[in-house]
Amino acid sequence: MQIGMLGPFEVRTDDGVLADVPGARLRGLLAALALEPGHVVPKARLVDWIWGESPPADAANALQRLVSRLRKVLPDGLVDGQPNGYRLVVDPDAVDAVRFERLIGQDPREALTLWRGAAMQDVGLQESAAFDAAVTRLESLRLTALEDHFDAEPGHGAELITELTDLVAANPVRERLVAALMRALAASGRETEALQLYQRTRETLADMLGVDPSPELSALHVALLRGELGRRADSRTTNLRAELTSYVGKEADVAAVRELVAEHRLTTLIGPGGSGKTRLATETVRTMLGELPDGAWLVELAPIGADGDVAQATLAALGRRDALLDDAPDLEPTDRVVAAIRERETLLILDNCEHVIESAAKFAHRVLGECRRLRILATSREPLGITGEALWAVAPLVLPADDAGPAEIEAAPAVRLLRDRAAAVRPDLVTDAATLARVCRALDGMPLAIELAAARLRTMSLAQLATRLDDRFRLLTGGSRTALPRHRTLRAMIDWSWDLLSDNERIVLRRLSVFAGGASLEAAERVCSPDALELLSALTEKSLVVADGERYRMLGTIREYAEQRLAEAGETDLARQAHLAYFTELAETADPHLRRAEQLTWLATVKADHDNITAAMRGALAAGEAEAAMRLSVGAGWYWWLAGRKTEGAELTLAAVALPGPVSDEVRATVYAFVVAFLASGRGDQYQSPEWIHEAYARGRGVRDPHPALKFVAVWERLFQAPGEFVPAFEPLFQDDDPWVRALAWLQLAKTWMTAGDDGGEADACLAEALVGFRAVGERWGISFALMETANRMAARGEFAEACRHYEQAIAIVTEVGAIEDVVQMRSRQAQLHWLSGDRKSSATALAEAERLAERVAWPNALSELALAKAELARWDGDAEQARRQLDVAMAMVANEAERENLRPVIQNLLGYLAEDLDQARDYRAEALRAVSAIDVGHAPAVAQVLVGIADLALRQGSLAQAARLLAASTAVRGHPDRSYPDVARIEQAARSGLGDARFAAATEEGAGADWRELTAVTLG
C-alpha cells in the first residue's frame, strides 16, 4: 500500500491500482493515521482532527463508524483497533509525507521530488485546526527544503525562473526564495528585473511585517548594483521574459518539440488559436538556452499588422545591437538581420505568423539560407510551406475519459490547468472532479478558453460556470490586460482567424457547422460546396478544421462560432435542409444492405454518421417537417434496431409520428410498422399495439413495393381477425421475393407456435428453416436470434450445456453488429442456464458480463430482463432479500404501461415463491393468474409458468395430488415439458415421493386432461 499526501490524495495497492477513498472525512481519517504510521493515534486526537471544534454528540460512535467504512476500502488488516485509538499498519516509507521528512536531512533534492502539488489538496476537512496545522507544517518544511536546495546550488539559470517566480508570488516574505530568484534572474542577464524584485520585496516586508530586508538580502542587492552578479546588459543571450504562471499539461510536448528543433533548422508549431503555441515555443526554447551560445530571441509578429515588416520586427527583438551589425547600418532590414546573425549559433522564435504568412515564409527562407547555424521555431495557424519545414500540431490539452474516476479526472492535463488557474484567482474555490471535467470538455481542452474560464471563477462558482458555458462567447471575456487583444475574449480569438479567410473558405466553414460528429468529403461537397476538397484542405492547414482519417470535424468552440456566422449569413435553414436530404438518402441507401451479408460494412458507414442522422432527425422534428422526419425514421429504423439504438430509435420515431402535417400513406404505414416493432420488443408482442397495426394495414394496402417491415403488418392484422389461423397468415411471406423476409417469417411463425403452445415440434422445424434462410443471406441478427430461440428450446428439454453453446454462438454473432442491448438479455439467460447445469463459475461470469454491458445500455427492456435474471438466481441461491430488490428494479425499469402489465404475472409469480406466509403466497399466485389472464391473446409460456407457481402453492398446502395435476396442466398448456427452471423438477420430485409412482401418474393424467382454470380455482379457493 502506498499513500500519497504531497499533492492530490491518492492510495494505491501493491499492484498499483488506485483505491477509491470517498468523502473528505474518510480521507481525513486516513491522512491522520498515515502521518503516524505504525503508531496508535488516540481517539480524542482523531475526533479533533476530523471534526475540529464541532464534533458530533456521539463522537466515539461516529469515529468508530468512520473507521469501519475505512476498513472496507482498504486491504484487510491495515487499520488496527486499540483500546485507546487506532493504528495504520504500513511501512513508514509507504507514506510520501513521512518519507519526505526522513529524506530532508539526507537528500533534499530527492525529498522534493515526492511533491506533486499542494499537500493533501483534496482532503478538504472544514474547520479542523489540527488538519490546517499539519498542512502548514508540511508546506513550511517543503519551502525550507527548497531554500536549502537553492542555496546549495547558487548558479541557477533561466530553467528555474518560472518555478521560483511562482514560489515567491505565493511566499513574498521568504527572503531566501527571493534571493534565489534574484540570482537566477541575474544569471539570465535580467539584472533590472532582479533589482525590481528586491524593491518590491522591501516594500512588502515593511507593509506586512514592519521590518527591513535581512543583511543577506541587502548584500545581494549591493552586489547586483556593483555588477558583481549576472551578465552585462550587452551580453544577454535571450529576450524571453519570466512567466507569471506555471506550465501545465504539455511537458511531453516540450520534449518532442525540442527534438524537432535539434533535428531541423525550421520547425513550425501549428494549431488553432488559444491552443498554447506561443507558450509551448517559449517553454521549449527555455530548456535549450544552455545549448545556444548566441542565445534565442522571441520575435513577436502579432502587433505589426498584415503589411508589417518581419525583418524589422526581428531587428527590434535583437535589440539592434551594433556589435552584431558588422558596421553596416545602412543595409535593408533583412540584410541587417543576416549581418547581425551571420555565423552565430542562435535561434529565432517567429511568433504568430498566420497574418503575415507569405512575408514570414520569404524571410525565413532567406535568413536560413544565408545563416547556416541559425534555427527558427515558428508558431502559426498554418505552415510556412517551405521545403524542409518540420511541423508539430499543437493539440488541445488531454481531457479525462468519459468513464474516468475522480483520480483519473484530476490527473488529466486540462483539469490540472483549470485547477491551477482557478486556485490562483480563488484559493477557497470548492471544486468537484465531475464538474471540472464537464467544463474542460465543453471548452475542448483549449488552454486559452480554460484560462478565461478560470478568470470568471473570481465571481462565480464552478457549478455556475458549467451551466453557463452554452453561451461561452459572451461568458469568456476579461482575460489579462497585458495579453494580445485577440486573447482577451474567446470570440476575439476566433475572429482573428475568421478575418484571415477568403469568402469561399468562410462559406464552407460556416456550413460545416451543421454537421454533428464530422463530415465525409462526399457529405461536405453536397452540403457545403462542390469545391469542398480544396477549401477543407485550406481550412485544415489553418487549424480551423481537423482532418480525422477521411472525415473533417471542428472543435466544439469553433463549431459554435461557425453556427453563429451561419445564422448571420441567413443560411441556417438552407444548410440544414441540405444536411437532412443527404443523410436521409444515406440511410435509405444503406437500409437494404443492412439485411444482407455486407451489413457490417454498411453498418460501419451509417454508424460513422450516427450523430449526423440524429441531428438531421431532431432538426426536422424541431421544424415540424412531418414527411421529412418520418421518411428519415423509415430509412434509419432498421439501423437503430440493429445497432443497439432501440431507445433512441423508438423516441425519435414516436416523435415523428406525433407531428401534424401531410405524409404519404407508404411512409406513414411503414413508420407505424416500426412503431409496432419497438413496442413489441419486450415480453409483449404485436397484440399490445392493435391501433398501430390497424392503421398501418389500412394505409399500406395499396403500396406496390413495401418495406420489409410493412410486409408483416398484413400477417398481424389477419391474426387479430383469426388468432388460431396463424399458419395461413404467414404462408404468403414464404413466397416473398426477399429471402430475408422469408427467413424472418419462419422465425416469427416459430415464436407464434411457442406462444400458442407447440405440441408437435412445429416450432423446432420453423426455427431450422429460419436459420437456413438467414445463413443463406448472411444476416447476423437473424442468425443470432434463430440460434437463441433454438437454445431456449434445448433448455426446455434440459439440454443446458448445449443450450449455453448455442447462446455463445448467438452472442458472438450479434456482438459483431453492436446490438449490445440484445447481448445483455442473452448473457442474463445464459447465466441461468449455467446455474442449472451446475457450473456456478460460468454463471457468475456470464452475469458479470451482462452487468458490465448494461452500463452502456439505455433500452429499459434489456435492463429489466437483467434484473429478472438476477432475481431468479438470487431466489435459487436462497437470497430472498436480494431477489425482492431485483424485482423492484425490474418493474421500475419499464415505464411503458403495457410492458409493465406483461411483467406483472412474472413478478407476482416470483413473489409467490418468496413469500413465507401461505396466505400471502396465495394472494401473489391469484394476482399472477389475474394478470396473465388479462393479456388480450393467450400466451402459453406465461400461463404455464404461472401454473407451475400455483403447483408450488398446492405443494406447500399439502395437496400433493393437486400439485401433480397443475404440473401436468402446465405441460399441456405449453405443449411440452419445460426443464429450464428448477421448480418443475423440485415440485415433481416432492409430489412423486409423497404420492408414490402410481398415484402420481394418475394425478398427472387427470391434470393433463383437465381445464387449468378449474384446477387453479380449487387451489386458490
Side-chain angles (χ1 to χ4, degrees):
M1 177 66 72
Q2 299 290 323
I3 301 174
M5 304 168 70
L6 304 180
F9 193 85
E10 63 180 30
V11 180
R12 293 184 183 272
T13 58
D14 289 340
D15 56 2
V17 176
L18 276 172
D20 185 22
V21 183
R25 288 177 179 164
L26 205 61
R27 292 192 293 269
L29 172 61
L30 179 55
L33 296 173
L35 286 173
E36 300 184 49
H39 297 283
V40 176
V41 183
K43 294 178 181 178
R45 194 192 307 168
L46 291 173
V47 169
D48 181 58
W49 173 277
I50 296 168
W51 287 283
E53 297 181 358
S54 304
D58 57 344
N61 289 334
L63 177 62
Q64 186 177 11
R65 289 193 297 270
L66 206 58
V67 170
S68 177
R69 287 175 54 203
L70 182 60
R71 284 173 170 153
K72 291 179 181 178
V73 301
L74 297 181
D76 293 340
L78 281 189
V79 181
D80 177 31
Q82 297 293 324
N84 62 333
Y86 297 95
R87 177 170 65 105
L88 188 65
V89 186
V90 295
D91 187 292
D93 270 5
V95 182
D96 61 358
V98 177
R99 188 160 75 253
F100 167 71
E101 291 196 54
R102 178 179 64 78
L103 288 171
I104 285 176
Q106 302 172 12
D107 188 345
R109 177 178 293 180
E110 182 181 351
L112 289 168
T113 63
L114 299 175
W115 285 78
R116 297 169 289 108
M120 296 185 280
Q121 61 182 245
D122 49 2
V123 172
L125 288 178
Q126 302 293 324
E127 300 179 1
S128 173
F131 169 76
D132 292 341
V135 172
T136 301
R137 176 176 167 278
L138 286 170
E139 294 286 358
S140 179
L141 288 172
R142 179 193 186 195
L143 289 174
T144 302
L146 283 166
E147 289 167 343
D148 291 343
H149 171 58
F150 292 137
D151 288 346
E153 299 181 21
H156 298 299
E159 72 278 2
L160 292 179
I161 288 177
T162 299
E163 179 181 2
L164 281 166
T165 299
D166 291 341
L167 288 169
V168 169
N171 304 274
V173 296
R174 291 191 73 105
E175 294 179 76
R176 293 174 66 192
L177 289 178
V178 172
L181 178 54
M182 288 173 64
R183 286 194 295 268
L185 290 169
S188 300
R190 297 157 66 178
E191 292 89 343
T192 301
E193 293 177 51
L195 292 170
Q196 291 170 345
L197 172 61
Y198 173 82
Q199 183 62 27
R200 288 197 303 272
T201 303
R202 187 163 71 92
E203 294 170 357
T204 300
L205 288 168
D207 291 343
M208 295 179 65
L209 304 179
V211 299
D212 292 325
S214 66
E216 292 79 9
L217 191 61
S218 296
L220 184 62
H221 178 230
V222 171
L224 273 169
L225 292 173
R226 291 175 176 173
E228 297 171 359
L229 292 177
R231 303 170 179 168
R232 292 178 55 85
D234 59 4
S235 63
R236 285 192 309 146
T237 60
T238 185
N239 64 343
L240 294 179
R241 293 180 294 273
E243 297 290 351
L244 300 179
T245 57
S246 58
Y247 191 55
V248 178
K250 291 287 186 82
E251 294 81 2
D253 287 28
V254 169
V257 174
R258 180 187 171 108
E259 288 186 12
L260 283 177
V261 174
E263 295 173 7
H264 303 273
R265 295 187 60 214
L266 171 61
T267 301
T268 303
L269 308 183
I270 58 172
S275 59
K277 301 182 293 295
T278 299
R279 187 67 185 270
L280 176 57
T282 57
E283 291 294 333
T284 300
V285 172
R286 226 181 287 280
T287 69
M288 302 175 64
L289 288 174
E291 305 162 21
L292 296 167
D294 296 300
W297 306 90
L298 174 65
V299 182
E300 296 178 297
L301 299 177
I304 69 174
D307 56 352
D309 191 328
V310 176
Q312 193 64 49
T314 304
L315 287 172
L318 292 171
R320 305 178 62 93
R321 294 168 296 158
D322 293 336
L324 295 180
L325 295 182
D326 205 29
D327 296 325
D330 296 328
L331 298 175
E332 291 297 319
T334 303
D335 295 324
R336 296 181 68 197
V337 172
V338 172
I341 295 174
R342 288 197 182 277
E343 297 297 320
R344 289 172 172 78
E345 189 169 351
T346 191
L347 183 146
L348 294 179
I349 302 174
L350 299 183
D351 189 36
N352 292 301
C353 296
E354 55 273 354
H355 65 301
V356 288
I357 194 71
E358 295 292 339
S359 56
K362 293 176 181 177
F363 170 79
H365 184 265
R366 167 83 186 280
V367 296
L368 286 171
E370 298 193 31
C371 305
R372 60 188 185 88
R373 301 177 69 187
L374 170 68
R375 295 179 185 275
I376 292 179
L377 175 58
T379 74
S380 178
R381 300 188 188 187
E382 60 180 304
L384 298 186
I386 301 174
T387 302
E389 178 184 26
L391 298 176
W392 178 262
V394 181
L397 289 166
V398 176
L399 295 165
D402 291 340
D403 58 351
E408 290 86 356
I409 289 175
E410 294 284 357
V415 175
R416 285 170 51 206
L417 178 64
L418 179 57
R419 282 194 64 123
D420 179 89
R421 301 304 191 254
V425 301
R426 183 104 168 262
D428 62 340
L429 184 71
V430 176
T431 63
D432 69 272
T435 309
L436 286 169
R438 179 183 164 196
V439 169
C440 290
R441 291 190 187 108
L443 300 176
D444 304 308
M446 296 295 286
L448 176 61
I450 290 174
E451 302 236 12
L452 291 170
R456 274 292 183 182
L457 293 174
R458 298 187 196 103
T459 55
M460 63 174 58
S461 70
L462 183 65
Q464 289 172 325
L465 173 70
T467 59
R468 287 165 170 77
L469 283 177
D470 287 342
D471 194 9
R472 69 189 76 182
F473 292 111
R474 186 174 65 86
L475 179 68
L476 300 185
T477 61
S480 172
R481 290 190 178 91
T482 62
L484 291 169
R486 67 173 184 272
H487 285 174
R488 295 178 194 172
T489 72
L490 191 61
R491 184 177 182 89
M493 176 191 76
I494 307 176
D495 281 339
W496 170 266
S497 295
W498 176 265
D499 291 341
L500 298 176
L501 299 179
S502 68
D503 288 342
N504 287 336
E505 288 170 341
R506 292 175 184 175
I507 291 172
V508 170
L509 186 66
R510 66 184 181 234
R511 291 180 181 175
L512 193 66
S513 69
V514 79
F515 287 91
S520 65
L521 177 59
E522 179 185 353
E525 287 173 335
R526 289 276 297 276
V527 176
C528 301
S529 166
D531 300 323
L533 175 59
E534 179 182 345
L535 295 168
L536 284 171
S537 298
L539 290 168
T540 301
E541 289 283 308
K542 292 175 170 64
S543 303
L544 288 167
V545 171
V546 178
D548 190 358
E550 296 181 354
R551 298 178 66 81
Y552 299 90
R553 62 179 178 85
M554 291 186 286
L555 297 176
T557 301
I558 304 295
R559 181 169 178 249
E560 184 177 330
Y561 177 91
E563 284 178 338
Q564 294 180 7
R565 289 295 192 174
L566 186 69
E568 291 171 7
E571 297 177 352
T572 299
D573 194 61
L574 176 69
R576 184 189 64 79
Q577 291 284 358
H579 179 268
L580 173 62
Y582 177 81
F583 287 105
T584 300
E585 182 181 317
L586 174 66
E588 291 173 341
T589 302
D591 175 66
H593 296 286
L594 295 178
R595 291 183 291 276
R596 293 294 187 270
E598 66 271 19
Q599 69 184 164
L600 290 185
T601 300
W602 279 92
L603 194 58
T605 299
V606 181
K607 276 185 176 180
D609 278 307
H610 171 84
D611 290 342
N612 279 309
I613 290 172
T614 302
M617 186 69 177
R618 294 196 184 281
L621 291 172
E625 298 167 349
E627 173 85 23
M630 288 200 198
R631 183 182 161 193
L632 180 53
S633 68
V634 169
W638 181 240
Y639 159 72
W640 285 326
W641 183 282
L642 188 65
R645 302 278 186 171
K646 291 191 185 76
T647 300
E648 183 179 33
E651 173 206 337
L652 294 175
T653 300
L654 289 170
V657 167
L659 288 177
V663 179
S664 69
D665 282 346
E666 178 180 356
V667 170
R668 190 176 290 276
T670 309
V671 171
Y672 287 175
F674 273 110
V675 170
V676 173
F678 285 124
L679 294 179
S681 63
R683 285 182 171 257
D685 50 34
Q686 64 272 14
Y687 300 111
Q688 300 295 323
S689 47
E691 67 281 2
W692 295 105
I693 292 174
H694 298 328
E695 190 68 18
Y697 178 71
R699 291 178 177 274
R701 278 186 296 179
V703 176
R704 304 180 69 178
D705 185 18
H707 188 281
L710 190 54
K711 293 179 180 180
F712 285 85
V713 169
V715 177
W716 298 334
E717 178 70 18
R718 182 169 178 177
L719 290 178
F720 269 114
Q721 308 305 322
E725 299 179 6
F726 47 83
V727 174
F730 278 101
E731 282 179 345
L733 295 183
F734 299 146
Q735 311 303 319
D736 195 271
D737 293 339
D738 188 338
W740 185 87
V741 170
R742 298 197 298 270
L744 184 59
W746 284 114
L747 180 60
Q748 292 287 359
L749 179 58
K751 293 178 68 176
T752 307
W753 273 116
M754 288 183 270
T755 301
D758 164 35
D759 59 359
E762 290 89 348
D764 289 320
C766 292
L767 286 174
E769 289 283 354
L771 194 54
V772 169
F774 283 126
R775 281 176 169 158
V777 297
E779 205 280 280
R780 292 159 182 80
W781 176 86
I783 295 171
S784 172
F785 270 79
L787 286 170
M788 182 191 73
E789 295 296 350
T790 302
N792 289 336
R793 301 285 287 179
M794 293 175 172
R797 297 192 292 268
E799 301 167 7
F800 302 130
E802 188 61 28
C804 284
R805 282 193 286 274
H806 273 66
Y807 258 111
E808 202 61 46
Q809 294 175 35
I811 290 167
I813 293 170
V814 81
T815 299
E816 288 185 309
V817 298
I820 303 301
E821 303 156 343
D822 300 326
V823 179
V824 171
Q825 295 173 267
M826 292 183 187
R827 286 288 185 206
S828 301
R829 183 57 176 152
Q830 191 185 41
Q832 293 177 313
L833 299 181
H834 278 306
W835 192 99
L836 291 168
S837 70
D839 188 350
R840 302 297 173 84
K841 182 178 180 181
S842 294
S843 175
T845 300
L847 189 63
E849 178 65 7
E851 290 173 327
R852 184 185 69 81
L853 294 173
E855 295 176 357
R856 299 159 49 190
V857 166
W859 188 236
N861 294 329
L863 301 176
S864 177
E865 291 297 328
L866 172 59
L868 284 177
K870 292 166 76 172
E872 284 280 27
L873 288 168
R875 179 173 74 87
W876 298 348
D877 283 327
D879 189 347
E881 183 180 353
Q882 169 69 357
R884 290 190 183 93
R885 280 199 301 269
Q886 291 302 324
L887 290 178
D888 290 339
V889 171
M891 187 60 85
M893 283 293 174
V894 181
N896 180 283
E897 188 57 34
E899 187 63 24
R900 291 174 70 88
E901 286 303 314
N902 290 327
L903 275 182
R904 198 172 303 282
V906 180
I907 301 251
Q908 296 297 315
N909 198 43
L910 290 179
L911 288 172
Y913 287 114
L914 299 172
E916 297 180 2
D917 179 78
L918 203 57
D919 289 336
Q920 189 180 34
R922 184 185 296 108
D923 291 341
Y924 283 131
R925 300 304 183 194
E927 176 59 23
L929 182 63
R930 186 207 63 76
V932 80
S933 301
I935 298 176
D936 291 341
V937 179
H939 198 289
V943 173
Q945 202 70 8
V946 170
L947 291 177
V948 174
I950 299 175
D952 177 73
L953 176 64
L955 181 66
R956 293 175 64 183
Q957 291 172 336
S959 302
L960 302 184
Q962 183 71 350
R965 293 186 194 100
L966 285 162
L967 282 183
S970 171
T971 299
V973 168
R974 190 188 298 271
H976 58 83
D978 186 359
R979 302 292 179 185
S980 64
Y981 292 89
D983 304 295
V984 173
R986 173 180 57 80
I987 298 169
E988 179 181 316
Q989 182 180 0
R992 186 187 296 275
S993 177
L995 294 170
D997 289 343
R999 292 176 62 198
F1000 179 83
T1004 298
E1005 185 176 352
E1006 292 173 8
D1011 185 330
W1012 61 266
R1013 296 172 183 82
E1014 295 178 1
L1015 291 175
T1016 57
V1018 170
T1019 301
L1020 294 175

